[in-house]
Amino acid sequence: MFKSMKFSSVCSITLFTYFIFMLPTLIYLTLSNKIILLEWEILSNSSYSITFPLILDPISVSFSCVVCLISACVMFFTSSYMSADPFLTRFVWLVMLFVLSMNILVFVPSIISLLLGWDGLGIVSFALVVYYQNMKSLAAGMVTALANRIGDVLLLISIAICANEANWNMMLIWENSMFPWLCLCILVGAMTKSAQIPFSAWLPAAMAAPTPVSALVHSSTLVTAGIFILIRFYYLLTTWPLFNFLALFIGTITLLMAGIGANHEHDLKKIIALSTLSQLGVMMLSLGLGAWNLTLFHLYTHALFKALLFLCAGAIIHNNNNVQDIRSFGALAPQMPLTISCLNIANLALCGAPFLSGFYSKDLILETCLYNPTNCIALILIFLATGMTAAYSIRLSLVTLWQESSNFPLTQNSDEDWVVTTPIIILTLAAITGGLVLQTMFFYFNESIYLPLTHKLLTIFVTLAGAWIALNIWKLKITKNPNGSLMNSFFSTMWFLSMITTQPNMIKPFMWAKTMTKSIDQGWLEVLGGKGTLNLATKTSTMTQILQSKYINTMISMMLLTAASVIFLMY
C-alpha cells in the first residue's frame, strides 16, 4: 500500500515537472507567434510514406500545460483519497494513460493519428468508469462506451472522406463535393465527446467512477476533447453555412437543460457534472457566435475551477462516509473551514463573480451574445440558464454552510490532511488568478466590446437574481419536490433523456437479439451448420460401418459360394 501511494506521488511530481518545463516553451511560442511542425517518417516507399506529425503552437502547448497541472493535483490528491484501495497502482496507470491519450490528441494535427488519442480516451475512460466493480458502474461504463463509439465511427467516416484527396492533415483540408458531410461528421463526433444534447446521458452516469477520475474527466480531458477538436477545425467548419446555427442552437438547449436539471438534483457529484454540462453548452454557443478564442479561454478557466470543485466535493464525501446526498450535509464550515472556503470560491467562479477566473471568460461570452446579431429567443434562454447556474451554485453553498447538521452520528469532518489540502490550495490560487494571467498572456483572449451600461450590468443582475431566488427558496424549505411528481421526474432526468437514450432504446434490441439468437444461432444455424453436419456425418458413418460389418460380409460370402458352385459345375 505504501508503494502504491509513493508511486502516485511520483507520477504527480512528474506531471508537475512537465508543466514547469513546458511553460518556457509556451511563453516563447506565444511571444514569437510561431508554430513548430515536426514530422516523423515511419515508413517510406517509392510512391507513399507513412508519417506521424506533431504540432507545437500556443493552443496545443497551453492546453497540455493546463491538463498536466490539473492531473498533477489530482494524482497527489489520489494518494490520500484512495490510500485504502488495494488496486491503487492499476488506477494510477490508467489515469496516466488517460493523460497520455489527451496529450496525443492535443499535439497531433493528422486525423488518422488523432484516432490514437481519440480512441485512447474512450477505452481508458470505460476502464476508469467501471473501476468499482458493481452493476451500477458497469451500466454507466456501457453508456459511456457506446456514446463514445458513435464519435469513433464518425471520425472513421471523416478519415474515409478525406481519403479522396489522400490528405489527412487538418490544416490542409480543402472543400470538395463531400465537404458538408465531413463537417457534419466532425461536429456530431465532437458532440458525443462533449456530451451535447442528445448525447448528454453518459455524463452524469459517469459519476460512478472514483472522484479523482471525475475531476479529470469533467474538467480538462474527455468532455473538453470534443470542444478542442471543434476549435482545431474551426476555420474549416465555418465555411459550412449551417455550422454557426447548429452550434448556437445545440449549445443553448444543452445549457438550459443542464441548468434546470442541476436545480432538481440532490447528488453532489451529479450537480457538479450537470454544471460541467451547462458550461460545455456555453462553450458550444460561443463557437456558434464565432468567438473561438473565448471558447478556448473559457475552456481553460472552467478546467481550473471545476477540478477544484470536484476535489472539494471529494474531500467532503470522503469525510462523510462516502455519502453524496447534499441533504445529508450541513454545518460543514466550522468543521472543514479550508475546504468549504475553497468550494465557495469555485462556486463563485462558476457563477462568474467579478475578478475570479470564470468572470473574465464567461462575461465576455455573454457580452458577445448581446453584441452580435443573436436570435432573441436564444438570448433569453442563455440569460435564463445563466441565472439557473447562480441558483444551483448558491444552493450548494447554502447546504454546506448554513443548513442544520444532518450528518450520521459520530461523523468527524476535518481538513487537516495536507496531502488533500495542498492540491486544493494550488487549484484555488489558479481559480482566483487564472483568468487574469491567461488574459494578460494571450492577446487573443482580449476582446473590446462596447455596450450600453444597462447591457454591461445585465450579466451581474441576472446572476444576483438567480442567487436571490435560490436563497428565498431555501428559506421557504421548498427544495424538496413532491415525490413522484411528473415535472420533478422530467427535469431531474434531463427531460427524460437518460431513459430515452438508455433503457427503452435497449429493451427492444435486446429482445430482438434474444429471439434471433434462439431461432437462428441456436436454431436453424445449428440444424444446417455445425451440429447438423455432425449429425449427418455421424449417421452416414454408422450406416457405412453397419454395411461393412454385416451386409458386405454376407455379400462376399454369397459371391464366394456362387463362384465355388460355378467352378464345381464346370468340372
Side-chain angles (χ1 to χ4, degrees):
M1 192 63 64
F2 178 73
K3 288 182 179 179
S4 300
M5 293 170 63
K6 189 176 178 181
F7 179 59
S8 176
S9 303
V10 168
C11 290
S12 173
I13 293 168
T14 305
L15 289 168
F16 196 74
T17 306
Y18 171 86
F19 166 74
I20 296 296
F21 276 108
M22 287 299 284
L23 275 180
T25 309
L26 174 60
I27 294 168
Y28 168 73
L29 292 173
T30 305
L31 295 178
S32 61
N33 199 22
K34 286 184 178 179
I35 295 176
I36 300 172
L37 188 62
L38 307 172
E39 199 163 21
W40 173 37
E41 190 174 76
I42 301 171
L43 181 66
S44 177
N45 59 20
S46 57
S47 60
Y48 190 71
S49 62
I50 299 173
T51 61
F52 186 81
L54 292 173
I55 185 171
L56 296 173
D57 63 339
I59 294 176
S60 60
V61 177
S62 60
F63 194 89
S64 178
C65 283
V66 171
V67 168
C68 290
L69 174 63
I70 293 171
S71 303
C73 294
V74 168
M75 292 298 289
F76 200 65
F77 179 85
T78 301
S79 62
S80 173
Y81 184 83
M82 299 184 68
S83 58
D85 196 301
F87 306 110
L88 180 58
T89 304
R90 183 180 70 183
F91 177 79
V92 172
W93 274 115
L94 285 171
V95 173
M96 293 300 286
L97 281 173
F98 201 74
V99 176
L100 176 65
S101 300
M102 193 66 205
N103 278 288
I104 292 173
L105 185 77
V106 166
F107 286 116
V108 173
S110 169
I111 305 181
I112 289 184
S113 305
L114 190 79
L115 199 62
L116 286 173
W118 187 273
D119 260 343
L121 284 175
I123 294 166
V124 180
S125 68
F126 171 76
L128 286 169
V129 171
V130 300
Y131 182 77
Y132 292 141
Q133 297 174 11
N134 52 53
M135 291 305 295
K136 181 184 176 184
S137 297
L138 180 60
M142 287 304 297
V143 171
T144 304
L146 292 174
N148 286 314
R149 289 304 94 184
I150 297 171
D152 297 340
V153 170
L154 290 167
L155 192 64
L156 287 170
I157 294 171
S158 304
I159 292 170
I161 292 171
C162 292
N164 289 327
E165 281 76 29
N167 170 51
W168 292 277
N169 193 318
M170 64 177 71
M171 297 182 293
L172 304 174
I173 296 173
W174 57 85
E175 291 189 41
N176 53 56
S177 58
M178 298 291 287
F179 180 72
W181 295 106
L182 174 64
C183 293
L184 183 64
C185 287
I186 293 170
L187 176 62
V188 179
M191 284 168 56
T192 60
K193 283 286 189 208
S194 56
Q196 301 294 313
I197 196 168
F199 306 107
S200 305
W202 71 264
L203 190 60
M207 289 292 98
T211 302
V213 175
S214 306
L216 271 176
V217 169
H218 299 96
S219 62
S220 61
T221 46
L222 186 62
V223 292
T224 55
I227 300 294
F228 185 81
I229 291 300
L230 292 179
I231 293 170
R232 274 289 190 214
F233 283 95
Y234 179 74
Y235 288 108
L236 177 73
L237 292 169
T238 47
T239 55
W240 183 38
L242 285 176
F243 173 71
N244 286 335
F245 166 74
L246 287 176
L248 180 64
F249 175 76
I250 292 164
T252 305
I253 298 299
T254 306
L255 171 63
L256 184 67
M257 177 195 70
I260 295 173
N263 279 290
H264 285 79
E265 187 58 65
H266 297 293
D267 188 305
L268 177 59
K269 287 174 67 175
K270 284 190 177 180
I271 290 173
I272 304 174
L274 288 167
S275 77
T276 300
L277 192 56
S278 70
Q279 298 311 302
L280 290 168
V282 171
M283 296 175 206
M284 183 66 85
L285 70 90
S286 66
L287 277 175
L289 294 169
W292 70 268
N293 53 339
L294 299 182
T295 304
L296 188 65
F297 189 18
H298 193 57
L299 193 152
Y300 291 165
T301 56
H302 169 260
L304 294 171
F305 64 72
K306 189 51 60 72
L308 170 62
L309 204 54
F310 267 112
L311 292 191
C312 293
I316 292 171
I317 292 167
H318 193 56
N319 277 285
N320 283 273
N321 301 319
N322 299 319
V323 174
Q324 298 184 20
D325 195 324
I326 60 173
R327 292 168 293 188
S328 300
F329 301 148
L332 294 177
Q335 305 170 62
M336 308 175 68
L338 178 63
T339 304
I340 298 302
S341 301
C342 295
L343 176 75
N344 285 301
I345 288 170
N347 264 336
L348 289 172
L350 175 62
C351 295
F355 310 116
L356 294 177
S357 61
F359 167 76
Y360 291 93
S361 55
K362 192 174 181 181
D363 199 62
L364 277 175
I365 291 172
L366 294 174
E367 286 184 2
T368 306
C369 294
L370 294 169
Y371 184 77
N372 285 4
T374 312
N375 184 288
C376 181
I377 296 174
L379 197 63
I380 293 169
L381 293 179
I382 289 167
F383 277 91
L384 179 64
T386 303
M388 289 178 182
T389 302
Y392 65 70
S393 300
I394 296 301
R395 170 174 170 248
L396 187 57
S397 293
L398 290 171
V399 163
T400 54
L401 277 173
W402 292 301
Q403 180 175 282
E404 295 176 3
S405 181
S406 305
N407 301 333
F408 287 121
L410 304 177
T411 299
Q412 182 182 5
N413 292 309
S414 68
D415 49 13
E416 296 174 0
D417 187 353
W418 68 274
V419 179
V420 171
T421 54
T422 301
I424 288 177
I425 292 169
I426 293 171
L427 288 175
T428 303
L429 294 174
I432 294 171
T433 61
L436 181 60
V437 170
L438 288 169
Q439 200 170 54
T440 307
M441 183 180 293
F442 298 99
F443 69 92
Y444 46 80
F445 287 168
N446 289 281
E447 289 281 345
S448 297
I449 299 173
Y450 300 98
L451 290 171
L453 183 62
T454 52
H455 291 58
K456 282 279 187 184
L457 295 176
L458 182 60
T459 304
I460 295 176
F461 172 75
V462 168
T463 304
L464 291 174
W468 180 78
I469 291 170
L471 182 62
N472 279 281
I473 290 176
W474 181 75
K475 281 183 178 178
L476 293 172
K477 303 292 181 184
I478 329 176
T479 52
K480 294 182 182 178
N481 292 304
N483 293 326
S485 165
L486 181 63
M487 184 176 290
N488 184 35
S489 301
F490 177 71
F491 289 135
S492 62
T493 55
M494 297 192 299
W495 303 352
F496 295 137
L497 196 62
S498 301
M499 294 183 283
I500 291 170
T501 56
T502 51
Q503 292 130 351
N505 278 354
M506 299 314 296
I507 287 173
K508 287 291 182 185
F510 278 142
M511 289 175 65
W512 294 336
K514 184 179 179 182
T515 306
M516 296 288 279
T517 301
K518 284 189 173 181
S519 61
I520 295 179
D521 189 35
Q522 297 174 357
W524 286 107
L525 284 179
E526 289 292 336
V527 173
L528 301 176
K531 193 173 181 180
T533 305
L534 176 64
N535 288 335
L536 180 63
T538 304
K539 287 179 181 178
T540 306
S541 175
T542 305
M543 291 297 294
T544 305
Q545 287 175 2
I546 291 170
L547 287 170
Q548 287 177 349
S549 62
K550 293 182 179 180
Y551 295 110
I552 290 178
N553 292 338
T554 305
M555 190 178 295
I556 291 172
S557 300
M558 291 295 292
M559 287 173 64
L560 290 173
L561 183 62
T562 305
S565 300
V566 169
I567 292 170
F568 177 76
L569 291 172
M570 287 177 65
Y571 289 100

